[in-house]
Amino acid sequence: MRPTGPLDRVAGAHDAAVLAVARRGEPVARTGLADALQVTPQAISKILTRLMDRGLMAESGSFSSGPGKPTTLYRIVPESRRAIGLHLTRTRLHGVVADLTGQVLERRSVGIDPGRPEPALIADLAGMARELARHGRGELLGVGVGMPGPVDPVEGVYGGSTSSADAWRGAPIRALLLEELALPVHLDHDSRAALVGESWSQPGLLDNAALVLAEEGLGASLRLDGAIVRGAHSQAGEVGHTVVRLDGLPCPCGRRGCAQAEYLAALEAGDQELAARVLATVVLDLVRLVDVDRVVLGGRAVYAHHRVTMEAVRRALAEGLRADAQLHVEVLLSTRGVDLIAVGAACQVLEHEYGLPTALVGPETG
Amino acid sequence: MRPTGPLDRVAGAHDAAVLAVARRGEPVARTGLADALQVTPQAISKILTRLMDRGLMAESGSFSSGPGKPTTLYRIVPESRRAIGLHLTRTRLHGVVADLTGQVLERRSVGIDPGRPEPALIADLAGMARELARHGRGELLGVGVGMPGPVDPVEGVYGGSTSSADAWRGAPIRALLLEELALPVHLDHDSRAALVGESWSQPGLLDNAALVLAEEGLGASLRLDGAIVRGAHSQAGEVGHTVVRLDGLPCPCGRRGCAQAEYLAALEAGDQELAARVLATVVLDLVRLVDVDRVVLGGRAVYAHHRVTMEAVRRALAEGLRADAQLHVEVLLSTRGVDLIAVGAACQVLEHEYGLPTALVGPETG
DNA sequence: CACAATAAGCCAACGCTGTTGCGTTACGTC
DNA sequence: GACGTAACGCAACAGCGTTGGCTTATTGTG
């Protein structure tokens, strides 16, 4: 490896910025990139040369309008890199291989036993990763794992569920999987992974956005000013136990009126309208506090009744924000469907490798 | 001005990082800075040379422990720069001049007429700024203004209050004041200013923190991973109208059970315990969503009964987070007292000039 | 009191970044 | 076929932190 200079960070940030523009899929021109990055076209040439040397981008024809030399177009090379994403729940394991743009190349899904001991779990994860790795042909960058409940992405350890006894509590999943596969492993909260995945292929659109995930529980994740919010203890977005109704239904966590308990109970009673209102309450509080302009909804429980849910959330937002007419919040449905979290986990690997850096100075965040 | 190269951004970020360490007040050594910034001691020498050329830092004796050449110490020069901060409410104008470390050099306070037309308001602001500018001696960097309610810091325009008719609604305060004073002007939400002020003199401590301000209304502000959260419409932290009790007291905004209405009503009834519980509800929701590890309380309404308030918030947090034992949240009282917002407004000027940059690439954010 | 050992800091050369100025290439138009 | 135009490449440049060697100032030892 060549000696790491400080200017590598500038180059790296610019490379990532060009890739971010290019991964929208449309061919890009030198001039447009120069405007976007606020550098000279000549600098863009050097940046593109670096990216083409690494196989990440390629020329893509040219474009002529009027006199003069035609503009050369460049495009991202999706098949140049791959990443594996695994979505782990208590009863199922779902996995995908995705290319550099986050497109799914292959998917797998198996049921697992919730009581399964830790070594067997690791074997399942590793097995699916190895199988998925046989598809596609770009360089395999690593494996991402998304799972519900508290997770420590820095240490790569699962924190255990508060709502049930849990056989995997404290399992050092990243370390074990890394040893098994000899590939970089990223472990994170499911809804955080989902938001990374959702925004990977539409860079910039979700720079101030929240994603609310309704699966076995409720989870949220935030991207503010382009940066994913992890929080001081990596527990940002654990909104499942926010109290939405004082003295409401009892929750396994010991308190009453938790959003998650109310939501699941409403679903079980077949009252989609009520469930959607619980969801909408969480969303409204969140919008007030952090002022996002887009909210993405995802997860099995949402897909099952997505029309009712979206409509109820939109209505609750319009009602709750009616006094602040200048606050427009767009409510979107996830574009990834059931692959949402698995793709997101894969995109976390991509983001780590090719995403825009957050800070310029200080120690590496890993 | 010398031609702006891309490497200025690296240098600028490093200069800001060194200043951030130094503004804690204690003298700093080359080695310590090298560790903090992850660069070689030689680079620190160059950075310090630049900062000393600009008069921002100076040598501060030396320090010997054991054999070898003694370590040279450096300190920030607080008196090298000044900034003015103004805190505007509907009935009072409070102002300070602060030095580079955020220390107050002089303060002023006058009552104003809420119905006062816009030109008179600008004259009041400019008059106080000019008077404050006579104190202290460093270079005057600019004027910061903090005020309650919705504000657009990008355009420098006051958005108007939702709870009352407002003579200043839509006033382009920044443009008018800039024309009057010929100095850079920064306009922002009061609680956001307060958090900037609170964290300026203790860098790093409040990198994941929230500040809740209780004055005429309720406001919150967030700093996540070191970055102040402004939101898509610069309205992050407008939590005053979060609903804490369904079908509660009517609020001037038209809805019922808003945190602000409940809080003010409890205070008026002399029930500090209830008021504190309303505050605590807001804090608890906020901690769940963004996982901050420190919460700062400030504002007149808090100071009046700070023991009761702090205790109630601490109790509510301990109760609400009891199932998540690993989440430690420290509840602090503002260190700035009644100057909180005025100092914060001044520190916004300092932060703009000498604070750590947020992003590396893309267009300037102003 | 002289000397070595030690640690901090300076100087100069280096590789890398994006910038600048100027020449080259490829297109449309007359 | 000559001309104007716009995109692009080449080469020199300034400034960043790094590297390696040298200087400086203190402590400890004979």
Side-chain angles (χ1 to χ4, degrees):
Chain A
M1 196 189 276
R2 73 157 189 268
T4 298
L7 288 75
D8 290 359
R9 286 195 283 223
V10 176
H14 282 165
D15 292 2
V18 168
L19 275 176
V21 176
R23 77 183 177 241
R24 290 197 184 115
E26 283 156 30
V28 292
R30 217 174 64 134
T31 318
L33 290 170
D35 290 347
L37 271 72
Q38 292 285 346
V39 296
T40 59
Q42 182 61 27
I44 299 293
S45 291
K46 291 190 180 181
I47 294 167
L48 284 171
T49 304
R50 286 198 301 262
L51 290 171
M52 294 197 302
D53 285 348
R54 293 163 70 191
L56 293 165
M57 296 198 66
E59 287 196 13
S60 171
S62 61
F63 171 99
S64 175
S65 70
K69 182 171 177 174
T71 305
T72 313
L73 292 173
Y74 301 85
R75 64 173 180 86
I76 199 166
V77 182
E79 64 273 23
S80 63
R81 301 289 191 278
R82 288 176 303 153
I84 290 172
L86 303 175
H87 174 199
L88 179 63
T89 68
R90 288 198 308 130
T91 55
R92 282 204 83 75
L93 174 60
H94 187 76
V96 300
V97 218
D99 67 20
L100 184 56
T101 61
Q103 288 301 304
V104 173
L105 304 175
E106 188 73 26
R107 57 171 61 79
R108 286 284 182 279
S109 200
V110 297
I112 52 173
D113 176 1
R116 226 165 151 65
E118 189 182 293
L121 173 69
I122 298 296
D124 282 349
L125 292 170
M128 182 173 281
R130 269 191 277 262
E131 200 183 334
L132 287 166
R134 283 205 290 270
H135 298 87
R137 48 196 173 79
E139 183 192 341
L140 188 57
L141 297 168
V143 178
V145 181
M147 60 191 300
V151 163
D152 183 344
V154 180
E155 297 295 323
V157 173
Y158 175 56
S161 166
T162 50
S163 55
S164 65
D166 201 320
W168 310 328
R169 187 175 205 128
I173 294 178
R174 184 173 65 194
L176 293 172
L177 207 50
L178 184 141
E179 192 181 358
E180 192 72 28
L181 293 170
L183 276 173
V185 176
H186 292 263
L187 181 71
D188 209 342
H189 189 168
D190 53 2
S191 94
R192 225 137 46 198
L195 183 52
V196 170
E198 203 65 33
S199 48
W200 180 253
S201 40
Q202 28 192 356
L205 185 73
L206 301 179
D207 268 1
N208 279 284
L211 185 142
V212 178
L213 187 73
E215 295 248 313
E216 298 170 353
L218 281 181
S221 50
L222 297 172
R223 186 164 213 138
L224 301 177
D225 294 322
I228 290 281
V229 175
R230 297 214 144 77
H233 316 86
S234 301
Q235 298 232 17
E238 291 285 352
V239 294
H241 300 283
T242 303
V243 177
V244 294
R245 198 200 312 174
L246 289 170
D247 305 318
L249 299 171
C251 176
C253 79
R255 285 190 301 275
R256 285 175 162 274
C258 291
Q260 184 165 313
E262 298 278 340
Y263 180 76
L264 295 176
L267 275 191
E268 201 153 326
D271 191 344
Q272 276 96 38
E273 188 66 28
L274 177 60
R277 266 172 48 210
V278 172
L279 215 61
T281 306
V282 172
V283 170
L284 184 58
D285 281 4
L286 177 158
V287 167
R288 286 212 172 281
L289 181 61
V290 296
D291 182 23
V292 293
D293 58 358
R294 285 186 174 83
V295 175
V296 182
L297 303 179
R300 275 173 219 282
V302 168
Y303 299 141
H305 315 281
H306 63 92
R307 277 164 189 275
V308 180
T309 305
M310 302 270 290
E311 214 32 65
V313 171
R314 287 208 181 97
R315 216 168 31 239
L317 277 176
E319 172 71 15
L321 299 176
R322 125 173 79 93
D324 312 81
Q326 69 272 46
L327 254 63
H328 290 286
V329 179
E330 204 172 329
V331 181
L332 309 162
L333 191 65
S334 160
T335 59
R336 304 288 195 180
V338 292
D339 290 330
L340 179 60
I341 297 161
V343 169
C347 288
Q348 288 218 326
V349 178
L350 298 172
E351 174 130 333
H352 180 80
E353 199 73 23
Y354 300 115
L356 285 163
T358 316
L360 173 61
V361 296
E364 291 261 331
T365 20
Chain B
M1 197 189 277
R2 74 157 188 269
T4 297
L7 290 74
D8 291 358
R9 287 195 282 223
V10 175
H14 281 164
D15 292 1
V18 167
L19 275 176
V21 176
R23 76 183 179 243
R24 290 198 185 113
E26 283 157 31
V28 292
R30 217 174 64 135
T31 318
L33 291 169
D35 290 348
L37 272 71
Q38 293 284 353
V39 296
T40 60
Q42 181 60 26
I44 299 293
S45 291
K46 292 190 179 180
I47 293 167
L48 285 171
T49 304
R50 287 197 301 263
L51 291 172
M52 293 196 301
D53 285 348
R54 293 162 70 190
L56 293 165
M57 295 198 67
E59 288 197 13
S60 170
S62 61
F63 169 97
S64 175
S65 72
K69 182 170 176 174
T71 305
T72 313
L73 292 173
Y74 302 84
R75 64 175 180 85
I76 201 166
V77 182
E79 62 274 23
S80 63
R81 301 290 192 278
R82 288 177 304 153
I84 289 172
L86 302 176
H87 173 199
L88 179 63
T89 68
R90 288 198 307 129
T91 56
R92 283 203 83 75
L93 174 60
H94 186 76
V96 300
V97 218
D99 67 20
L100 184 57
T101 60
Q103 287 302 302
V104 173
L105 303 174
E106 188 74 25
R107 57 171 62 77
R108 288 282 183 279
S109 200
V110 297
I112 53 172
D113 177 0
R116 225 166 153 65
E118 189 181 294
L121 173 70
I122 299 296
D124 282 348
L125 292 170
M128 182 173 281
R130 270 192 277 263
E131 199 183 335
L132 287 166
R134 283 206 290 270
H135 297 87
R137 50 198 172 77
E139 184 191 340
L140 189 56
L141 297 169
V143 178
V145 181
M147 60 191 300
V151 164
D152 183 345
V154 179
E155 298 295 324
V157 173
Y158 176 55
S161 166
T162 50
S163 55
S164 64
D166 202 318
W168 311 327
R169 189 174 203 127
I173 295 180
R174 183 173 63 196
L176 294 171
L177 207 51
L178 185 141
E179 192 181 357
E180 192 72 29
L181 293 170
L183 276 174
V185 176
H186 293 263
L187 180 72
D188 209 341
H189 189 168
D190 53 1
S191 94
R192 226 137 45 199
L195 182 51
V196 170
E198 203 65 33
S199 47
W200 180 254
S201 40
Q202 28 192 356
L205 184 72
L206 302 178
D207 268 0
N208 279 285
L211 184 142
V212 178
L213 188 71
E215 296 247 314
E216 297 169 355
L218 280 182
S221 50
L222 297 172
R223 186 163 214 139
L224 301 176
D225 294 323
I228 290 282
V229 175
R230 297 213 144 76
H233 315 88
S234 302
Q235 298 233 17
E238 293 284 351
V239 294
H241 300 281
T242 302
V243 177
V244 295
R245 199 202 308 176
L246 288 170
D247 305 318
L249 298 171
C251 176
C253 78
R255 286 191 301 275
R256 287 175 161 273
C258 291
Q260 184 166 313
E262 298 277 341
Y263 180 75
L264 295 177
L267 276 191
E268 201 153 326
D271 192 344
Q272 276 96 38
E273 189 66 28
L274 177 60
R277 264 171 50 209
V278 173
L279 214 63
T281 306
V282 172
V283 170
L284 184 58
D285 281 3
L286 177 158
V287 167
R288 285 212 174 282
L289 181 61
V290 295
D291 182 23
V292 293
D293 58 359
R294 286 186 173 82
V295 175
V296 182
L297 303 179
R300 276 172 219 283
V302 168
Y303 299 142
H305 314 281
H306 63 92
R307 277 166 189 274
V308 179
T309 306
M310 304 270 290
E311 213 33 64
V313 172
R314 286 209 181 97
R315 217 168 31 238
L317 277 176
E319 173 71 15
L321 298 176
R322 126 173 81 91
D324 312 82
Q326 69 272 43
L327 255 62
H328 291 286
V329 179
E330 204 172 328
V331 181
L332 308 163
L333 191 64
S334 159
T335 59
R336 303 286 194 181
V338 291
D339 290 329
L340 179 61
I341 297 161
V343 168
C347 288
Q348 287 217 329
V349 178
L350 299 172
E351 176 131 331
H352 179 81
E353 199 73 23
Y354 301 115
L356 286 164
T358 316
L360 172 61
V361 295
E364 290 261 332
T365 22

